[in-house]
Amino acid sequence: MLNKYLRLRQLCLVARELAPVEEDLCAVFGVHVCHRDPEVGQFGLHNALMPFGTSFVEVVAPLREGTNAGRYLERRKGDGGYMVILDSESLERWRTHVDAIGVRIAAPLAVGDYEGLQLHPRDTGGALLEVNSTLNGADLQGPYWPAGPHWRDAVSQQRVEGITGAALQSVDPSALAERWSRILQRPAERDSAGWRLSLDQATLRFIAPRDDRGEGLAGIELAVRDAKAIRGTAESRGLLTDSDGVFVGGVHFALHSIS
């Protein structure tokens, strides 16, 4: 029997132009592009994927008019967070579960040894939520199809150790937390910062709006080794910073220094 797991494996940003956000992410966090997925072309997009430790930040951008991503950019008034992507040992239990609770599958995905379920955003709220599975993907150093076959060769952790969480903003964080709790079968808990939901190696947080852009993926939390270098590069590139972190691609990256 496979050991069950549910991990925050990938966070996706959407941008009007791919190159500027990709370049900012690589420069600020000292990361490298590991893969460009031709499969996203079927959605009218192009992309870049970068490993942050054993998890990933992806940026997608429209190649033509009339894409879902383009409409999302308009709705949220520019570049920002787009998708929360989890990986699991198998999708069969998730198909059965989401069907039982009335959450629709917006797009089933299957390529080779990989399959995924993109859930309908009207049923999830917060962000586009995907659960995927790659054959023999239980090892965090092992295969992860969306990142390409050679993702480990691109890993650089001089500045960033990895992703520790994500923040979803909503006018009703408690309701959104309860909805995601029901979908992901993990308890929503209250703490001093608001509501949170723990995955196997990361935390999803549900927060009050930080801006007027509506509900969405507002933040990514990082364990970092060199916060000073991250801030310095961000400022040199004209990006906003605050006491907690830096803003890249319309998303706040919170910096948590590790010893």
Side-chain angles (χ1 to χ4, degrees):
M1 178 179 290
L2 294 174
N3 290 326
K4 293 182 178 180
Y5 60 88
L6 185 64
R7 306 179 299 211
L8 177 59
R9 201 66 197 279
Q10 184 178 334
L11 293 159
C12 180
L13 282 56
V14 62
R16 286 196 168 94
E17 296 183 33
L18 177 62
V21 177
E22 172 191 326
E23 291 165 6
D24 281 340
L25 287 166
C26 289
V28 170
F29 299 112
V31 296
H32 307 289
V33 173
C34 66
H35 190 53
R36 300 182 191 276
D37 182 6
E39 295 293 331
V40 303
Q42 64 183 301
F43 303 109
L45 306 173
H46 59 156
N47 80 333
L49 209 75
M50 291 139 275
F52 281 56
T54 56
S55 296
F56 304 87
V57 173
E58 177 186 14
V59 185
V60 299
L63 287 169
R64 55 176 169 78
E65 297 293 325
T67 65
N68 287 336
R71 286 187 286 271
Y72 194 83
L73 280 166
E74 294 304 318
R75 187 161 65 251
R76 296 207 71 229
K77 306 174 186 177
D79 297 358
Y82 188 36
M83 296 180 66
V84 174
I85 301 171
L86 314 180
D87 72 338
S88 188
E89 82 294 338
S90 172
L91 290 193
E92 192 55 42
R93 66 185 175 105
W94 294 106
R95 288 192 191 93
T96 301
H97 169 62
V98 299
D99 181 65
I101 64 173
V103 172
R104 292 166 290 176
I105 297 171
L109 310 170
V111 182
D113 293 334
Y114 160 88
E115 56 181 341
L117 303 175
Q118 288 185 1
L119 304 183
H120 201 295
R122 291 186 180 177
D123 296 340
T124 65
L128 187 57
L129 174 60
E130 177 184 318
V131 182
N132 67 39
S133 181
T134 298
L135 184 66
N136 299 320
D139 182 358
L140 282 167
Q141 296 291 341
Y144 182 65
W145 181 87
H150 307 297
W151 69 264
R152 289 171 294 277
D153 296 339
V155 173
S156 175
Q157 294 177 291
Q158 291 184 329
R159 293 189 178 188
V160 177
E161 174 77 13
I163 296 170
T164 61
L168 299 164
Q169 71 176 28
S170 171
V171 294
D172 192 345
S174 63
L176 184 59
E178 288 296 335
R179 185 187 299 186
W180 279 51
S181 172
R182 186 165 180 251
I183 295 169
L184 299 179
Q185 298 182 291
R186 298 291 176 101
E189 302 171 317
R190 186 77 182 265
D191 63 19
S192 59
W195 290 89
R196 64 184 176 88
L197 186 154
S198 296
L199 302 173
D200 290 359
Q201 55 23 310
T203 300
L204 299 178
R205 300 190 182 278
F206 303 87
I207 62 173
R210 290 173 169 164
D211 51 42
D212 64 352
R213 302 178 63 196
E215 193 168 271
L217 172 61
I220 296 174
E221 298 182 359
L222 302 177
V224 303
R225 293 176 172 173
D226 196 341
K228 182 178 179 181
I230 291 170
R231 289 179 184 279
T233 304
E235 290 169 355
S236 73
R237 297 178 72 86
L239 301 172
L240 295 175
T241 64
D242 64 12
S243 60
D244 297 319
V246 301
F247 292 85
V248 183
V251 172
H252 181 259
F253 287 78
L255 308 179
H256 302 293
S257 294
I258 58 176
S259 52

